[in-house]
Amino acid sequence: MIFDLPILSTLIWLPILGGLLILFVGSNRDAFAKWFALFISVVTFLCSIPLWTNFDTTTSAMQFVERVEWIPQFNIYYSLGVDGLSMPLVLLTTFTQILVIASAWDVIKERVEQYMGAFMIMQGLMIGVFVALDGILFYVFWEALLIPMFIVIGKWGGPDRVYATIKFFLYTFFGSVFMLVAFLYMYFQSGSFSILDFHTMSLSYMAQILIFLAFLIAFAVKVPMFPVHTWLPDAHVQAPTAGSVVLAAIMLKMGGYGFVRFSLPITPDAAMELDWLVIVLSLIAIFYIGLVAMVQSDMKKLVAYSSISHMGFVTIGMFLVYDIVQNTGSIQGSMIGMEGAMIQMISHGFISGAMFLMIGVLYDRMHTREISAYGGVVNTMPWFGFFAVLFAMANAGLPGTSGFVGEFMVILASFKANVWYGVIAASTLIIGAAYTLWMVKRVFFGAVANDNVGTLQDLNKREFAIMATLAVAVVLLGVYPAPLIDVMHSSVANLLIQATTSKL
């Protein structure tokens, strides 16, 4: 707590209660729904800032802890806390939410209160995932947030929204069941659902293997990793712009967060035994899915596949620790890979969110995402072209942008682990540039392709403010990532100790 206020509970329940109030007010109050959603989003972001300013970077212990009995018969607590792994993700969520609400200001015309309410509730649930310290509480937040996203895609999505929504729900719900089974097994072994108790409990080798695989299924679907990635392009293409932003910027990060909060500290022996599996699947995502992105004709689908490829850096960076320790005899060498993975999650939140917002701006004007429908956009939308090229270059890993920092750190760690890991991982710098420049050249440069492009209007003040905010975030993290590294350093060091300490 800070200033005697339960700050984490405030971050969870303020947007949820705000969303419920918007729904309660009812229809025909569009202006109220928009302004109230924006007001609550800004207040929530301001409430999250003390997490950063009052965070103790010298300890890996949980901070801002809240703990209240919830279901005492089963030793279940309403337990919250953050460390250097989760706190930046909370700030990413509160920051992104403001841009999400602003992006839909003039776009959503029907049932505005339901749209805004769904996103407000979703924000609180996503923050709950990142701060929950009880397994059942984590699971409740994890599953509950599927409902508002299901509604957003199903109601405001594209022509095939029903198919995409059902596929999204079935994939993610299926994976979550295995996670719940793992939680129940550990509860019957330890008598507690506390995540921190899970970290310290002893588990047999076979139990670790089975629990690791259960977690792998749950979190691989969420990241998503190859081959359980096919729900994401469909969901992105059919989702409204704000839905795609939340999916890419926040929800995918829950899979990566699950690996560092559960898989590595709870099942270190199994993680060491099966790290090759995660590394291979990650390299396939980086290389093969990058090639798949290269042949897409739909801008949104191209960026969706690009997200899968870039998230491959997150998962490989987390599981290089064992090969690096074997090669160097020290966990210090693996710090760069883990920190690179965490930075990549934050950076990808900025860049992917910006890319989907960019596509949304074009779609609102042209009502098509086909690359062939565009050409010479920079001639009629120069400011938009400036921001779009900046974000595209960040997506390709241009030095000086946030896209370079995390990927470069993970590539360095990959070479420490195995030279072939490094070679394949580094290929994304070529493949990513190829599909990004292919899209930029055909959409933005050259002569004006048709009359529709010739009549396009440049960014309005609202759109300019959104793009400029994200541009500052992308460049600032790219030029000066040290504050973020300092925040997570102690927690990463502690995680690596947990991940390399046998429980047998």
Side-chain angles (χ1 to χ4, degrees):
M1 295 190 184
I2 180 171
F3 310 128
D4 294 325
L5 292 176
I7 187 170
L8 298 182
S9 288
T10 302
L11 296 179
I12 294 171
W13 296 107
L14 180 60
I16 291 176
L17 294 176
L20 292 175
L21 179 60
I22 291 173
L23 295 175
F24 179 76
V25 168
S27 58
N28 302 320
R29 301 285 183 88
D30 293 359
F32 168 79
K34 293 176 184 177
W35 283 107
F36 189 70
L38 182 62
F39 171 74
I40 294 296
S41 298
V42 171
V43 171
T44 304
F45 174 68
L46 294 176
C47 289
S48 68
I49 292 176
L51 293 182
W52 182 276
T53 57
N54 291 273
F55 191 82
D56 184 358
T57 59
T58 63
T59 178
S60 62
M62 290 293 169
Q63 302 179 44
F64 306 96
V65 173
E66 302 171 32
R67 184 175 170 87
V68 179
E69 274 192 342
W70 183 19
I71 309 176
Q73 296 90 332
F74 298 100
N75 205 17
I76 298 174
Y77 285 80
Y78 175 81
S79 181
L80 309 174
V82 292
D83 61 0
L85 303 175
S86 55
M87 186 271 284
L89 294 170
V90 174
L91 264 67
L92 176 66
T93 305
T94 59
F95 171 80
T96 303
Q97 179 73 6
I98 299 174
L99 306 181
V100 164
I101 297 300
S103 72
W105 205 260
D106 298 325
V107 178
I108 302 302
K109 303 295 185 184
E110 59 180 51
R111 302 193 178 183
V112 175
E113 77 288 347
Q114 295 181 17
Y115 186 89
M116 295 297 176
F119 275 99
M120 297 304 297
I121 294 169
M122 200 186 318
Q123 179 192 10
L125 297 173
M126 290 187 295
I127 292 173
V129 168
F130 294 130
V131 304
L133 294 183
D134 182 276
I136 294 300
L137 184 65
F138 177 89
Y139 183 78
V140 169
F141 285 133
W142 180 277
E143 291 290 66
L145 66 87
L146 296 180
I147 299 171
M149 181 57 80
F150 183 94
I151 294 171
V152 166
I153 300 175
K155 172 59 184 172
W156 293 275
D160 295 326
R161 60 185 179 273
V162 174
Y163 166 77
T165 304
I166 296 296
K167 189 174 183 180
F168 158 72
F169 188 87
L170 289 178
Y171 266 68
T172 50
F173 183 77
F174 172 79
S176 303
V177 170
F178 291 90
M179 177 174 65
L180 178 61
V181 171
F183 285 165
L184 291 174
Y185 174 83
M186 290 188 289
Y187 166 74
F188 287 118
Q189 293 297 309
S190 67
S192 171
F193 279 109
S194 168
I195 295 173
L196 299 182
D197 288 345
F198 290 166
H199 288 180
T200 57
M201 67 182 295
S202 297
L203 291 165
S204 68
Y205 179 75
M206 185 52 63
Q208 286 194 50
I209 292 290
L210 294 175
I211 292 171
F212 179 86
L213 292 175
F215 285 148
L216 178 61
I217 294 171
F219 303 140
V221 169
K222 207 75 165 186
V223 168
M225 297 175 66
F226 177 88
V228 289
H229 64 281
T230 57
W231 65 269
L232 183 66
D234 293 325
H236 270 312
V237 168
Q238 298 305 319
T241 298
S244 290
V245 172
V246 170
L247 262 177
I250 311 298
M251 291 187 71
L252 304 191
K253 310 306 176 291
M254 295 177 184
Y257 176 73
F259 282 124
V260 296
R261 183 61 74 219
F262 295 98
S263 300
L264 289 171
I266 294 174
T267 59
D269 300 287
M272 182 169 60
E273 184 69 27
L274 297 174
D275 64 334
W276 63 270
L277 176 60
V278 178
I279 291 171
V280 168
L281 294 178
S282 301
L283 291 173
I284 292 173
I286 291 170
F287 185 79
Y288 168 69
I289 302 299
L291 295 178
V292 173
M294 203 181 296
V295 300
Q296 299 305 313
S297 60
D298 182 306
M299 285 188 285
K300 222 176 184 185
K301 191 168 280 190
L302 185 152
V303 177
Y305 280 111
S306 169
S307 287
I308 299 169
S309 178
H310 288 298
M311 286 300 289
F313 277 92
V314 173
T315 48
I316 192 174
M318 292 173 177
F319 283 86
L320 288 171
V321 53
Y322 302 105
D323 286 322
I324 294 176
V325 169
Q326 184 176 359
N327 292 343
T328 65
S330 169
I331 64 172
Q332 293 302 315
S334 57
M335 289 283 290
I336 190 172
M338 187 67 72
E339 290 178 343
M342 297 302 299
I343 291 175
Q344 176 70 359
M345 285 209 285
I346 303 299
S347 169
H348 183 263
F350 293 147
I351 296 171
S352 63
M355 294 287 285
F356 282 115
L357 286 169
M358 176 191 78
I359 295 168
V361 167
L362 289 178
Y363 184 81
D364 293 340
R365 289 159 168 76
M366 294 272 288
H367 303 292
T368 179
R369 294 181 298 268
E370 289 296 318
I371 293 174
S372 59
Y374 295 89
V377 169
V378 73
N379 295 292
T380 53
M381 302 178 70
W383 274 113
F384 176 73
F386 166 76
F387 287 119
V389 171
L390 170 64
F391 297 138
M393 294 301 98
N395 194 54
L398 183 72
T401 66
S402 62
F404 174 77
V405 180
E407 291 184 5
F408 181 68
M409 293 172 73
V410 172
I411 290 171
L412 286 180
S414 299
F415 275 105
K416 284 187 177 184
N418 184 299
V419 66
W420 289 110
Y421 295 168
V423 169
I424 298 173
S427 69
T428 191
L429 299 176
I430 300 171
I431 297 172
Y435 61 68
T436 302
L437 293 174
W438 182 88
M439 180 180 71
V440 167
K441 177 180 181 296
R442 285 159 178 76
V443 173
F444 296 100
F445 295 124
V448 174
N450 52 59
D451 292 340
N452 291 329
V453 174
T455 59
L456 288 175
Q457 298 294 312
D458 207 352
L459 298 173
N460 58 38
K461 292 180 180 179
R462 173 182 58 84
E463 293 166 335
F464 185 92
I466 294 171
M467 296 296 176
T469 302
L470 283 167
V472 170
V474 166
V475 173
L476 187 62
L477 181 57
V479 173
Y480 190 50
L484 181 58
I485 295 175
D486 291 341
V487 161
M488 63 180 63
H489 189 81
S490 295
S491 295
V492 168
N494 181 63
L495 170 63
L496 292 176
I497 293 172
Q498 291 176 314
T500 53
T501 302
S502 176
K503 288 190 173 183
L504 297 179

